[in-house]
Amino acid sequence: MSERATPGALPALVQPMQAATVSGDPPQGGDWVVEVAWTGHRCIAYVQPGKRVRLLSGGDNSMSAAYPELTEPLLRRSPPGGLVLDGTLVARGEEHAVRPRLLKRRSARHRPSDATIRRIPVDFQVADLLWLDGHSTMELPYADRRALLDGLGFASPPVWTTSPLPATELETMLAIADQKGADGLHARHLRGRYHPGGRSRFWLRVPVKRTRQVLVGGWTPADLRRPESVGALLLGAPAGEQLHYVGRVGVSVEQRRQLAARLAARAPAESPFAASLPADAARHAVWAAPELVGLAEFTGWIGGARMRRPLWRGLVAPDAVRNDLWARPPEPAAAPAGPEEAAPAASPEPEPGPGAPSAVEARRLEQHFFYNALNTIGSLIRSDPARARELLDDFAGVSRAADHTGPSTLGRELEAVREYLRLEQARFGKRLQVAVDVAPGLDAVPVASLRLVSAVRDAVQQGVEPRPDGGLLTLTARPVAGGCEVRITGGPESDTTVILPS
């Protein structure tokens, strides 16, 4: 398409290139990089200084009016000859729980109000550069396109560049994607060209295969004349006293015989699920008391509540059940209205229990930290690869802490605090000094998950980051009657005291 365009003229349309699905082992050579593939809306941005910004979907539908906040930052970074960028629109905060409904609430509004933009902020994550200042870049190798893209300086919301890392870190990146709820990674070869509307073996999608515990809440018969025969299992995820439907999965002939015998004695008259199942799943359902625990492998969530491509991996012995392995759909369905893969109705966030973090803390670490951390790690890959690897391990540790639910301990929280601070010190350099002083014997004191990490994050943001010369962050913990007192200070206007357990 660009060959016929007038020299220097911004192309009217670029068909987005698609990633090919990896077959066999994913690439891990030195010529490959990987990045998280977030759930969102594919977007090609056409930036013409002095004229306009057009945002087109993967199907070439205009999305410009739905995201007006992207216009100014795109124009500000554009050279006179314009830009064409390829990326993804993502509802901010989805890096910790993929919630497609947030983005749907924005994209469903033709011209959102300022209040809606503030309530549901959206970021444009730019992954590739297709046109720069009057010239096509699509024939350049990916490494060159990426260097030009990084030079444009899209490093703050609402427009970010993505953060690819060497494929040698594939396993760590897959673990991070699993923790964050993303469905996969994008692997790109450094020599790969951009093929509009096509695919290439130099751009691959690597799915995240996650295995989680589920409860069997029923089945659909293999033979409708024999309701006791097992064809597919109806799976649920526990949420408090409720059981949320997360999908159905077929089982082998041998597994059917074994399961039929165990499920026959567990057949209540009513559904154990908290909400009605999709019509095609409920039509011939036979219910089971949710007592059998099994493992399901899947690649992601459909609509935030249904497992994508589930595979049954067998039952779990009662003494092998782990509380940290339960499937946790980002958006448990309250009342699905259509086929099994239709988007579920939204459900409220769970109320925090005693000692839980505040509403702000419950949002976990925001997207700014995520991208700042990966960009810092990426900048060290060539200059100090050993330190980059250490920081990637720290980032994985903070991610695990952010996704941990339930009670924690002071010792576990302090380890996450140290990992977080090492990442921030790598970014701020000498501007962030740290002093941690914890009295011995306090590691087992109970604390709500992420309570201290969030308080330290606030201290960095409010007390250190705004000051040109930075500052000193201090954390002290001392025993008091029945627990301990933790004081976190980031400067004169940032001083927090937490009494544990609270």
Side-chain angles (χ1 to χ4, degrees):
M1 42 69 59
S2 60
E3 290 80 356
R4 296 187 179 182
T6 302
L10 199 75
L13 184 66
V14 178
Q15 294 291 335
M17 183 179 175
Q18 304 297 327
T21 302
V22 68
S23 59
D25 294 333
Q28 296 193 19
D31 290 336
W32 289 85
V33 294
V34 293
E35 61 190 10
V36 177
W38 296 115
T39 300
H41 289 166
R42 185 73 176 277
C43 178
I44 305 294
Y46 303 79
V47 185
Q48 295 176 286
K51 294 184 179 180
R52 60 174 176 167
V53 171
R54 289 187 301 139
L55 305 177
L56 297 187
S57 70
D60 302 330
N61 298 311
S62 177
M63 301 187 292
S64 306
Y67 305 103
E69 70 271 33
L70 301 181
T71 297
E72 190 277 330
L74 287 170
L75 288 172
R76 176 163 30 94
R77 296 288 182 180
S78 175
L83 297 168
V84 179
L85 304 169
D86 184 353
T88 305
L89 296 170
V90 176
R92 194 176 303 163
E94 290 194 339
E95 76 281 5
H96 296 298
V98 178
R99 295 177 179 174
R101 284 197 164 274
L102 287 177
L103 199 57
K104 288 181 180 179
R105 291 171 191 164
R106 279 294 306 274
S107 61
R109 297 173 180 269
H110 185 59
R111 294 185 181 277
S113 66
D114 290 343
T116 299
I117 292 173
R118 289 193 300 269
R119 187 170 67 254
I120 311 175
V122 169
D123 286 343
F124 181 34
Q125 299 177 5
V126 184
D128 213 335
L129 175 66
L130 314 185
W131 183 273
L132 177 64
D133 201 16
H135 301 280
S136 172
T137 60
M138 290 181 280
E139 290 300 317
L140 296 176
Y142 171 74
D144 293 346
R145 300 198 308 274
R146 184 70 207 197
L148 292 171
L149 175 60
D150 290 342
L152 294 173
F154 290 116
S156 60
V159 181
W160 303 78
T161 52
T162 57
S163 303
L165 295 178
T168 53
E169 306 300 336
L170 179 76
E171 294 304 320
T172 301
M173 291 295 286
L174 283 170
I176 290 171
D178 184 7
Q179 294 158 6
K180 301 298 184 184
D183 291 351
L185 303 179
H186 281 157
R188 299 177 190 261
H189 196 282
L190 295 178
R191 295 198 305 271
R193 269 62 174 176
Y194 193 93
H195 300 278
R199 299 179 189 271
S200 167
R201 61 188 177 91
F202 289 140
W203 181 15
L204 302 174
R205 182 179 177 86
V206 182
V208 175
K209 295 181 179 179
R210 40 179 60 87
T211 302
R212 297 290 188 271
Q213 290 174 173
V214 289
L215 286 166
V216 180
W219 71 91
T220 54
D223 183 348
L224 295 181
R225 296 168 298 181
R226 298 171 50 240
E228 72 280 2
S229 64
V230 174
L233 301 177
L234 305 177
L235 306 179
E241 299 298 320
Q242 295 185 324
L243 183 68
H244 292 292
Y245 176 72
V246 295
R248 56 181 173 175
V249 62
V251 292
S252 68
V253 173
E254 180 60 30
Q255 290 170 332
R256 291 177 186 179
R257 299 192 188 100
Q258 297 174 356
L259 289 163
R262 302 191 66 172
L263 290 170
R266 297 176 170 86
E270 298 181 353
S271 168
F273 295 99
S276 300
L277 272 62
D280 55 345
R283 186 172 298 114
H284 303 294
V286 181
W287 309 121
E291 299 170 356
L292 293 183
V293 179
L295 290 177
E297 179 184 292
F298 60 106
T299 61
W301 296 97
I302 297 171
R306 305 283 184 269
M307 291 180 170
R308 178 180 287 112
R309 300 190 185 96
L311 294 173
W312 180 251
R313 293 306 188 193
L315 292 172
V316 178
D319 58 354
V321 174
R322 291 172 48 184
N323 288 332
D324 61 334
L325 276 185
W326 288 111
R328 290 190 174 92
E331 295 184 3
E340 182 164 337
E341 295 191 5
S347 61
E349 296 289 335
E351 292 295 328
S358 67
V360 173
E361 293 167 336
R363 293 171 55 194
R364 305 300 183 185
L365 302 179
E366 75 274 18
Q367 197 152 348
H368 300 187
F369 166 70
F370 179 87
Y371 281 108
N372 286 332
L374 280 187
N375 284 331
T376 300
I377 294 168
S379 69
L380 290 169
I381 287 295
R382 285 189 174 88
S383 62
D384 192 347
R387 190 180 184 205
R389 175 70 215 189
E390 292 171 354
L391 292 176
L392 190 58
D393 289 339
D394 287 334
F395 180 73
V398 176
S399 297
R400 285 190 294 271
D403 293 327
H404 176 75
T405 59
S408 184
T409 63
L410 182 62
R412 177 185 289 177
E413 283 288 292
L414 287 174
E415 179 59 30
V417 165
R418 293 185 179 98
E419 291 168 334
Y420 163 75
L421 287 173
R422 284 195 290 267
L423 287 162
E424 292 291 54
Q425 283 184 300
R427 180 164 71 99
F428 287 108
K430 295 181 179 180
R431 291 183 58 220
L432 176 58
Q433 303 296 315
V434 174
V436 177
D437 182 12
V438 179
L442 300 178
D443 282 357
V445 174
V447 56
S449 177
L450 213 64
R451 179 95 185 259
L452 296 186
V453 180
S454 297
V456 170
R457 173 67 170 151
D458 289 344
V460 171
Q461 285 184 316
Q462 299 168 15
V464 177
E465 189 167 3
R467 298 160 61 186
D469 296 331
L472 172 67
L473 182 137
T474 65
L475 184 151
T476 60
R478 294 289 181 267
V480 296
C484 71
E485 177 185 273
V486 180
R487 184 177 181 184
I488 301 164
T489 303
E493 298 180 359
S494 177
D495 193 341
T496 300
T497 300
V498 180
I499 306 296
L500 301 175
S502 55

